[in-house]
């Protein structure tokens, strides 16, 4: 299953999970209901039909499980992409806020006169006694 492989490559699958079961990989089993239900003895009262119905229902549930696994894998990959996007956004905001702090500190150093006007200086006096 391609999505499962992508999840594994992105590091989102714990190693203890291992590969999905044969039923979830979409690989059909070797035996079929016809082979399983064929027996030389006569079957009483529609047991064969009941077993065929059960087999079909199990196959339907397997298909649903495969679909759900695919959706979960897709969701996991989307969540990883969103996490990376969020991390990038937070890093950008941190950079912007640090730049704003630097600008504010620079403005404080320059005083309220602004960068084009030099800060007023007191004149240097020499006193001679």
């Amino acid at each position: 299953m391609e999505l499962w492989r992508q999840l594994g490559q992105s590091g989102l699958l714990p190693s203890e999970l291992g590969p999905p079961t044969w039923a979830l990989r979409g690989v059909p089993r070797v035996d079929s209901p016809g082979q399983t239900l064929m027996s030389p003895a006569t079957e009483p009262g529609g047991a064969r039909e009941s077993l065929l119905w059960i087999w079909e229902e199990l196959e339907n549930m397997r298909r649903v499980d495969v679909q759900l696994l695919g959706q979960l894998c897709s969701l996991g990959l989307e969540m990883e992409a969103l996490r990376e996007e969020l991390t990038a956004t937070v890093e950008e905001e941190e950079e912007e806020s640090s730049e704003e702090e630097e600008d504010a500190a620079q403005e404080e150093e320059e005083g309220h006169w602004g960068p084009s006007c030099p800060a007023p200086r007191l004149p240097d006096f020499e006193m001679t006694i």
Side-chain angles (χ1 to χ4, degrees):
M1 184 169 198
E2 178 64 23
L3 291 173
W4 186 268
R5 187 182 59 75
Q6 288 176 4
L7 276 176
Q9 287 176 344
S10 66
L12 297 174
L13 286 178
S15 60
E16 61 268 7
L17 273 184
T21 65
W22 66 267
L24 293 177
R25 282 182 271 170
V27 178
R29 290 191 71 167
V30 177
D31 53 346
S32 68
Q35 292 172 339
T36 305
L37 299 175
M38 294 297 276
S39 65
T42 59
E43 296 186 27
R48 177 175 170 79
E49 289 79 21
S50 295
L51 288 175
L52 283 173
W53 178 82
I54 290 171
W55 187 270
E56 289 172 4
E57 289 301 310
L58 288 173
E59 189 64 27
N60 290 337
M61 288 192 301
R62 185 189 68 79
R63 270 191 240 111
V64 170
D65 286 345
V66 169
Q67 289 174 350
L68 288 174
L69 180 63
Q71 290 173 354
L72 285 173
C73 291
S74 295
L75 181 62
L77 291 170
E78 287 179 35
M79 287 176 61
E80 177 64 16
L82 289 173
R83 186 183 66 78
E84 290 173 0
E85 185 178 323
L86 178 64
T87 302
T89 303
V90 167
E91 289 174 356
E92 287 176 10
E93 289 178 357
E94 287 175 355
E95 288 176 7
E96 289 175 4
S97 67
S98 66
E99 289 174 3
E100 289 174 2
E101 289 173 3
E102 289 174 6
D103 291 344
Q106 186 177 9
E107 287 177 13
E108 285 180 22
E109 288 177 11
E110 294 170 353
H112 64 279
W113 300 100
S116 61
C117 246
R121 293 183 54 202
L122 295 175
D124 292 333
F125 289 105
E126 288 185 25
M127 294 182 64
T128 307
I129 301 182

